[in-house]
Amino acid sequence: MAGLPRAALNYLERELELGLEAIPLRAPGMREQGRPGVDSSLVEPAIRQAADLDVLREVLGDCRRCKLCSDRSNIVFGVGNPDAGLMFVGEGPGEEEDKQGVPFVGRAGALLTDIITKGMGLRREDVYIANVVKCRPPGNRNPQPDEIVACEPFLARQIEIIEPKVLVSLGTFATQALLKNRIAISKQRGVWSDYNGVPLMPTFHPAYLLRNPSGKRIVWGDIKLVMQKMGISPLARR
Ligand code: SF4
């Protein structure tokens, strides 16, 4: 089994212990087209069994499961209320997030904070914020498929543990990673989707809004749908 990815090795070792007789033919990390979530057969047992976010963070450890480990300063696990009703999912840490080890603390983060506080009338600590990949892609490049496959089980378990009432995916990569599709964010934002039973609202990434301020009105429309779904009164908006 030499040369197999670590996640696949862990899976095979566990399944052999349990009496595996046939190997599934799907490649590691691949799922049936259009099905959200992570292929649970390839998730390390320790991730599946992590009972809370602290344990999950311990399982993540000084992660070297993908090549993003080589350039990072800090792992950016996630921040916020572990019992949050609302969870935002972004793509990956940027420069400032990598320095501080906290998601969405740079300029795009300030905009997300405005959406949460000034827009929704919530506090940042009321929600939970995480990314698809927990380490900064060098030069803020897009995360690559093997990196998403390696890191995504941690996001999936974060969502299972937090059990949010509503998920908001920010931008193309978070949306495509969660919904397992290749549809442009412009075509799926503003429309409710489903992530393993959790209503998911895709919208533009705050970094996009920094470059295209006219998109703020569109995002506000998406966020109003989220508030409606969560029973948050627009009157609470500051
Ligand atoms: S991006 Fe995720 S899988 Fe890759 S090294 Fe960082 S924590 Fe590990």
Side-chain angles (χ1 to χ4, degrees):
M1 295 193 288
L4 282 175
R6 184 171 168 173
L9 266 177
N10 288 341
Y11 158 73
L12 285 174
E13 281 167 8
R14 179 173 160 79
E15 295 303 311
L16 284 169
E17 279 170 22
L18 296 173
L20 172 77
E21 290 180 351
I23 295 175
L25 293 177
R26 277 202 310 276
M30 283 186 67
R31 283 182 69 84
E32 201 177 301
Q33 181 72 18
R35 283 188 63 200
V38 172
D39 185 339
S40 61
S41 66
L42 291 172
V43 175
E44 294 167 40
I47 299 175
R48 279 202 298 262
Q49 289 156 13
D52 59 37
L53 294 177
D54 290 340
V55 174
L56 186 64
R57 180 64 189 85
E58 275 172 34
V59 173
L60 184 63
D62 183 32
C63 185
R64 312 246 148 220
R65 291 170 179 84
C66 84
K67 58 188 179 298
L68 291 181
C69 68
S70 52
D71 289 313
R72 70 165 181 240
S73 303
N74 285 295
I75 291 178
V76 182
F77 179 69
V79 72
N81 181 354
D83 298 315
L86 176 60
M87 179 168 174
F88 290 89
V89 177
E91 174 182 319
E95 187 177 8
E96 199 54 39
E97 288 78 11
D98 178 59
K99 271 189 208 151
Q100 297 189 34
V102 180
F104 284 94
V105 287
R107 283 180 66 222
L111 192 46
L112 178 63
T113 303
D114 278 352
I115 290 170
I116 294 165
T117 57
K118 297 177 185 165
M120 306 186 80
L122 301 173
R123 297 172 306 163
R124 204 175 130 110
E125 53 269 36
D126 292 331
V127 306
Y128 196 87
I129 306 170
N131 285 308
V132 174
V133 292
K134 315 290 188 212
C135 301
R136 182 191 183 203
N140 291 346
R141 68 157 167 77
N142 296 330
Q144 294 171 349
D146 58 317
E147 297 158 357
I148 292 174
V149 166
C151 206
E152 206 184 357
F154 290 95
L155 173 65
R157 189 67 190 136
Q158 281 174 308
I159 296 171
E160 284 172 1
I161 290 170
I162 294 165
E163 294 185 309
K165 289 190 179 67
V166 172
L167 280 164
V168 176
S169 57
L170 301 165
T172 301
F173 279 89
T175 304
Q176 292 184 347
L178 287 172
L179 295 179
K180 296 286 174 280
N181 65 33
R182 303 297 304 265
I183 302 170
I185 184 65
S186 57
K187 294 213 162 42
Q188 46 185 347
R189 59 134 289 278
V191 179
W192 286 108
S193 287
D194 177 274
Y195 176 86
N196 292 340
V198 183
L200 183 150
M201 174 56 67
T203 195
F204 290 128
H205 194 284
Y208 169 83
L209 298 181
L210 292 175
R211 298 189 301 272
N212 302 277
S214 61
K216 286 182 185 174
R217 200 169 48 82
I218 297 171
V219 168
W220 176 234
D222 300 343
I223 293 298
K224 280 200 283 192
L225 294 174
V226 171
M227 291 168 69
Q228 209 175 54
K229 178 78 88 185
M230 298 194 69
I232 299 171
S233 164
L235 296 175
R237 190 183 171 209
R238 289 171 209 153

